[in-house]
Amino acid sequence: HRPLLLLDYDGTLAPFTPDRDRAHPYAGVREALHELMARTSTRVVLISGRSASDLPRLIQLDPMPEVWGAHGWERRLPDGAIEREPLPPLAGEALAEAVVWARKHWPATHIEQKASSIALHWRGLETGERARLERLAREALQPLTRSSLLKLKPFDGGLELRVKGRDKGTIVRLLLAETSDCIAYLGDDLTDEDAFAALSGSGLSVLVRPEMRETQAALWIRPPGELLAFLALWTEACTTGARAGNE
């Protein structure tokens, strides 16, 4: 059997940082994942709201596992090829309108433009400025969701205007259809709740964050110590299982 380990990136494998280009993994995570992939038959898949092309330079794993980015609208295969699902034309036009607004009203360093969304970050901003910007963004972007093509969703550190039709739960369901082996999903953010819900009754859902919050996940662990312990236990369990199967 081939176990399946699904991993969010920001906030799960890497601590949050105002500079998204410096969001490197917690110390020891890269080595733990490298050992896990080298010693076991686990299929490791990264599922992120980031663009699929962002993660290789941040996590720096060789070989690089499969990546689903942009909440499932992009897929990076192990050979580096990237597949993108086409967006509905009207959704693309609405996103372009949101980008124009953001460039006029939001700090440029806190705008993340992706294939299927625009994320407006406020991590690192003063509380008063954050509240002012959030109010402006909701007033300007909420009308764009009336077409039923887009949705405005909060995440840990900002707001994101996203094209409907795919989320992390969508990808979990796709992967579940490919396998019936041991499966776990590790995530931290509100966007990971879609994945936790999709995995309910079919695998292990794990909330990874320093503080507990209301969640559909079955377990809660704190990074980085308990995260590293989880990866080590997974590696040992899969290695022991493989040895037992060969005896």
Side-chain angles (χ1 to χ4, degrees), residues 103-228:
R103 288 175 177 171
K104 290 181 180 178
H105 301 281
W106 204 270
T109 55
H110 287 60
I111 299 171
E112 184 182 6
Q113 185 177 353
K114 295 177 276 189
S116 62
S117 68
I118 176 171
L120 304 176
H121 297 262
W122 55 54
R123 185 170 284 107
L125 299 178
E126 294 182 359
T127 302
E129 180 66 359
R130 165 193 157 172
R132 184 187 72 84
L133 287 171
E134 181 180 2
R135 185 176 64 254
L136 284 177
R138 288 188 180 277
E139 291 174 354
L141 301 182
Q142 194 65 50
L144 296 177
T145 66
R146 292 172 185 164
S147 66
S148 299
L149 294 173
L150 303 176
K151 55 185 174 181
L152 186 63
K153 301 284 287 185
F155 63 91
D156 193 346
L159 285 173
E160 187 168 22
L161 185 68
R162 289 161 45 189
V163 178
K164 288 183 178 181
R166 287 196 166 221
D167 55 35
K168 293 180 179 180
T170 307
I171 305 312
V172 169
R173 287 187 289 272
L174 286 173
L175 296 174
L176 280 172
E178 297 177 3
T179 181
S180 58
D181 294 340
C182 178
I183 302 169
Y185 182 99
L186 277 64
D188 73 294
D189 204 348
L190 295 174
T191 61
D192 295 302
E193 292 297 322
D194 295 319
F196 295 153
L199 197 55
S200 179
S202 301
L204 180 64
S205 53
V206 184
L207 179 69
V208 183
R209 56 184 286 127
E211 301 86 21
M212 180 60 176
R213 63 164 175 78
E214 186 175 348
T215 180
Q216 299 178 77
L219 297 179
W220 165 46
I221 60 176
R222 298 181 181 91
E226 292 176 355
L227 169 64
L228 292 171

Side-chain angles (χ1 to χ4, degrees), residues 20-22 24 50 53-60:
R20 298 183 303 281
D21 291 334
R22 297 180 180 274
H24 300 294
R50 283 183 181 263
S53 57
D54 280 358
L55 291 184
R57 63 181 175 78
L58 291 173
I59 198 166
Q60 295 180 5

Side-chain angles (χ1 to χ4, degrees), residues 22-64:
R22 297 180 180 274
H24 300 294
Y26 289 107
V29 164
R30 183 181 294 114
E31 293 78 9
L33 287 174
H34 179 78
E35 182 178 11
L36 186 154
M37 291 190 295
R39 290 180 54 194
T40 79
S41 61
T42 299
R43 178 186 177 186
V44 177
V45 181
L46 304 181
I47 303 178
S48 176
R50 283 183 181 263
S51 296
S53 57
D54 280 358
L55 291 184
R57 63 181 175 78
L58 291 173
I59 198 166
Q60 295 180 5
L61 281 173
D62 186 16
M64 184 66 192

